[in-house]
């Protein structure tokens, strides 16, 4: 099973709302990622979790709050977003670094994304 | 700073023909990985092919192959026998260190019937 799932598929929220995006994988990957993707642009890395600990935060505004409750689940909590935050939010997972892993284990597997619209 | 450049914003190819997508990168790292990802209109990003920088042999996956020129920092993707299902946005990506993936700006490929 090489599937990463994301819910919801679409989300519309007002600037005062609080919502959460969810990502799940059952491939035994211990690294999970959040990306933001604007239309016709490449994905931009937001956060990386490794072994359920925040490893990378690419200077993302605090209105985005990630959470990794367990090795299979990754959440992105949203609060007081701005219209410019409207985008496709992609989750990905991969094997974690620091292990004697065979080639190919650095590959990221992506979910289908959540299309977020902030009004 | 590491950068990835895809100089062809859009390309088209006739079905069954061959097309090459270009990618160049800039890095001072010695150990890194290169990827081509495909993002069809349905938006799910899928790995097409990967290459370890320490390997001189070019990677191949069925109809997809790369031309990896390490000294020139070039990593082009060749698609042979193009199919309608190959229509997608193609991103070249570079990975170094721990978890740092950098994507190029993408090439939108359209396969024409």
């Amino acid at each position: 099973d090489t599937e990463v799932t994301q819910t919801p598929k679409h989300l519309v929220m007002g600037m005062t709302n609080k919502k959460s995006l969810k990502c799940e994988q059952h491939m035994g990957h211990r690294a999970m990622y959040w990306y933001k993707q604007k239309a016709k642009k490449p994905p931009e890395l937001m956060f990386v979790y490794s072994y359920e600990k925040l490893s990378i935060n690419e200077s993302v505004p605090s209105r985005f709050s990630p959470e990794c409750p367990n090795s299979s689940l990754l959440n992105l909590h949203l609060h007081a977003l701005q219209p410019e935050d409207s985008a496709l939010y992609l989750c990905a997972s991969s094997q974690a670094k620091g292990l004697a892993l065979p080639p190919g284990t650095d590959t990221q597997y992506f979910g289908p994304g959540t299309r977020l619209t902030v009004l | 700073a590491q950068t990835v450049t895809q100089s062809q914003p859009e390309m088209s190819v006739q079905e069954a023909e061959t097309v090459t997508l270009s990618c160049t990168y800039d890095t001072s790292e010695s150990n890194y990985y290169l990827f081509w990802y495909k993002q069809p209109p349905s938006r799910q990003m899928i790995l097409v092919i990967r290459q370890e920088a320490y390997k001189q042999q070019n990677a191949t996956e069925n109809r997809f192959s790369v031309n990896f020129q390490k000294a020139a920092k070039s990593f082009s993707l060749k698609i042979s026998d193009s199919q309608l299902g190959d229509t997608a946005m193609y991103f070249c990506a570079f990975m170094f260190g721990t978890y740092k993936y950098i994507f190029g700006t993408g090439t939108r490929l359209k396969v024409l019937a």
Side-chain angles (χ1 to χ4, degrees):
Chain A
D1 181 10
T2 58
E3 190 178 15
V4 177
T5 59
Q6 289 187 245
T7 54
K9 288 186 179 180
H10 301 274
L11 179 62
V12 179
M13 60 187 291
M15 289 190 286
T16 58
N17 292 158
K18 283 186 181 181
K19 297 286 184 184
S20 296
L21 310 184
K22 179 181 171 181
C23 172
E24 199 161 3
Q25 57 86 17
H26 296 286
M27 293 179 277
H29 290 168
R30 301 302 295 275
M32 296 186 77
Y33 309 73
W34 280 116
Y35 286 88
K36 174 182 177 180
Q37 187 180 26
K38 290 281 203 179
K40 298 185 180 181
K41 297 290 186 184
E44 296 174 27
L45 184 64
M46 300 175 72
F47 302 104
V48 181
Y49 273 83
S50 173
Y51 295 99
E52 297 84 70
K53 287 185 169 44
L54 186 62
S55 179
I56 294 176
N57 176 345
E58 291 285 351
S59 302
V60 178
S62 60
R63 57 185 184 269
F64 294 91
S65 175
E67 179 196 20
C68 190
N70 60 56
S71 59
S72 301
L73 192 55
L74 184 67
N75 297 321
L76 186 62
H77 303 297
L78 315 172
H79 174 54
L81 294 193
Q82 303 296 310
E84 58 265 28
D85 296 323
S86 298
L88 182 70
Y89 288 83
L90 296 169
C91 174
S93 71
S94 74
Q95 293 283 6
K97 301 299 184 285
L99 302 173
L101 297 170
T105 49
D106 45 84
T107 300
Q108 287 186 304
Y109 294 88
F110 285 84
T114 293
R115 171 74 59 195
L116 174 67
T117 302
V118 182
L119 301 176
Chain B
Q2 337 291 329
T3 58
V4 178
T5 302
Q6 293 180 248
S7 59
Q8 305 150 314
E10 292 188 5
M11 295 188 73
S12 62
V13 62
Q14 289 293 137
E15 202 174 2
E17 297 294 309
T18 295
V19 64
T20 299
L21 281 56
S22 66
C23 172
T24 58
Y25 60 95
D26 191 20
T27 183
S28 56
E29 300 283 334
S30 57
N31 194 20
Y32 52 89
Y33 298 84
L34 295 159
F35 307 84
W36 278 98
Y37 280 92
K38 166 186 176 181
Q39 192 175 36
S42 66
R43 294 297 220 170
Q44 183 135 19
M45 194 90 73
I46 304 166
L47 176 71
V48 175
I49 199 164
R50 64 183 294 281
Q51 174 86 41
E52 294 99 335
Y54 61 85
K55 284 190 177 179
Q56 293 188 341
Q57 186 173 5
N58 289 326
T60 61
E61 284 288 343
N62 301 314
R63 298 182 295 107
F64 299 90
S65 62
V66 298
N67 183 3
F68 174 47
Q69 302 288 329
K70 190 172 183 179
K73 296 179 182 174
S74 170
F75 183 61
S76 61
L77 174 70
K78 184 170 85 170
I79 306 174
S80 305
D81 186 25
S82 297
Q83 300 175 0
L84 295 177
D86 295 333
T87 292
M89 180 74 93
Y90 287 81
F91 291 103
C92 177
F94 168 89
M95 194 276 281
F96 67 99
T98 49
Y99 310 119
K100 276 283 198 178
Y101 291 79
I102 298 173
F103 288 81
T105 50
T107 295
R108 186 172 300 277
L109 177 68
K110 189 169 185 179
V111 180
L112 307 171

